[in-house]
Amino acid sequence: MRKSLQFVLVGLAAITGLTISPTIVAAQDLELRLGPGGVGVYDRDRAYDRYDRRDRGRRGCDPDDALDIARSEGLRRAQIVRISARSIVVQGMTRRGPERMVFANQRGCPEI
């Protein structure tokens, strides 16, 4: 009985140690700084995200946005025909027959 109680206590200590260790590791990314504005919390990981933000944005026209614009202009059964570095071509049907729209591959998808 004493041995089984000892194994249970050792097991509980091990489980408790495993659950506490991630919180200790996660707390190492925070710093307290004293400055002219008072005491502030500084997150090390957040500082790097600020510089990576400019690489994440798309510079060109999103093909889904070009489709949405073409559909709002009255193009039915719109589909993308061609995507190049400079333009996106969307083809579909209007009341008069087949039609195509060409969008510049820039932010905002301006029509050419």
Side-chain angles (χ1 to χ4, degrees), residues 44-57:
R44 291 181 192 172
D45 292 335
R46 261 190 112 113
Y48 295 115
D49 290 342
R50 180 179 59 203
Y51 298 113
D52 293 339
R53 206 171 282 158
R54 64 179 169 218
D55 296 333
R56 282 189 259 161

Side-chain angles (χ1 to χ4, degrees), residues 12-63:
L12 285 174
I15 291 173
T16 305
L18 290 175
T19 57
I20 292 175
S21 62
T23 57
I24 293 170
V25 172
Q28 291 177 356
D29 289 340
L30 298 175
E31 291 180 6
L32 289 175
R33 290 190 176 176
L34 296 173
V39 178
V41 178
Y42 175 71
D43 188 6
R44 291 181 192 172
D45 292 335
R46 261 190 112 113
Y48 295 115
D49 290 342
R50 180 179 59 203
Y51 298 113
D52 293 339
R53 206 171 282 158
R54 64 179 169 218
D55 296 333
R56 282 189 259 161
R58 288 186 62 116
R59 295 183 182 200
C61 174
D62 187 25

